[in-house]
Amino acid sequence: MRHLAIIMDGNGRWAKARGRIRLQGHRAGADTLERVMGYCREAGIRYLTVYAFSTENWKRPKAEVSGLMRLLSSFIRSKARKLVKDGIRFRTIGRIGDLPGKLQGEIAQLERKTAGGDFTLTVALSYGGRAEIVDAANRWLASNPAAPLDEAAFSSFMYAPDIPDPDLVIRTSGEIRTSNFLLWETAYSEWYFTDVFWPDFGREEFDKALASYSKRERRMGGVNESGCEKNG
Ligand code: IPE
Ligand code: IPE
Ligand code: MG
């Protein structure tokens, strides 16, 4: 598997179950992300994309939104050195221009510093799958197109056209929906859902998801090797 994508969900409920505030759940979630990056590298995965903040998450209470923005800033500041040292390339997708100016600057700096990394961590921030498609359409229009689009040409206007589509998407916390994550890129991705809240997502869960993926037969609309149309 080249690319794993994760909808890191359930931080709030994890905190609530422990009588803590939601922000403490988000903090625990950031620690989980660091651990999961390690599992990915051990498994030989080259790309990890995580959903950290959606275009819809702006409607959360102001205190939670600003707490999340501060947490992102502190994640970037405290992990910068380690990311460089470990060869982790930090990237973002989403409407980065909507984020606080200071955070935008920290992101740009970290992206520059880690540009040489061979493992790519992409963080979806102020990200929406529909927003990405609309932004791509507008960029295409602005390019004074001379010819009509095909799928490959349209893809080139997405936020990260050089990153392969996800092979597997994991969503934690028992919700079975996309919540507007990578709508275009997951057309043929496999999905894995677990009830575990993101802060509790550990090695065992990671291995289970990968084991499930390895049993899937990805036909991409074709037929399997035996020529039988059913899943053999
Ligand atoms: C996911 O956890 C993280 C973000 C959306 C920022 P939630 O905050 O959605 O946690 P739940 O789903 O309310 O438990
Ligand atoms: C999706 O989770 C967004 C992130 C994990 C960042 P949400 O918690 O926002 O999604 P819904 O509201 O349950 O669909
Ligand atoms: Mg949620």
Side-chain angles (χ1 to χ4, degrees), residues 7-9 51-54 57 60 171 175 177 179:
I7 302 176
M8 310 184 290
D9 199 12
Y51 204 5
F53 194 86
S54 73
N57 288 149
R60 293 191 178 195
R171 182 168 188 157
E175 310 298 351
R177 54 177 170 262
S179 297

Side-chain angles (χ1 to χ4, degrees), residues 4 6 8 11 14 18 25-43 45 48 50 75 79 82-83 86 88 119 121 196-207:
L4 172 66
I6 305 180
M8 310 184 290
N11 295 348
W14 179 90
R18 283 161 180 75
H26 297 316
R27 277 197 205 110
D31 295 340
T32 302
L33 173 58
E34 209 180 343
R35 286 197 301 273
V36 169
M37 264 195 284
Y39 308 153
C40 286
R41 300 205 83 178
E42 283 170 35
I45 294 166
L48 172 66
V50 294
F75 181 86
K79 305 287 176 243
K82 193 170 183 315
L83 295 183
D86 293 350
I88 296 169
F119 173 89
L121 169 69
V196 168
F197 294 141
W198 177 246
D200 286 332
F201 186 88
R203 176 98 232 185
E204 209 176 301
E205 278 300 318
F206 180 85
D207 289 346

Side-chain angles (χ1 to χ4, degrees), residues 2-5 45-49 119-122 162-164:
R2 277 197 298 179
H3 184 179
L4 172 66
I45 294 166
R46 294 274 308 279
Y47 298 90
L48 172 66
T49 298
F119 173 89
T120 303
L121 169 69
T122 305
D162 55 314
I163 296 181

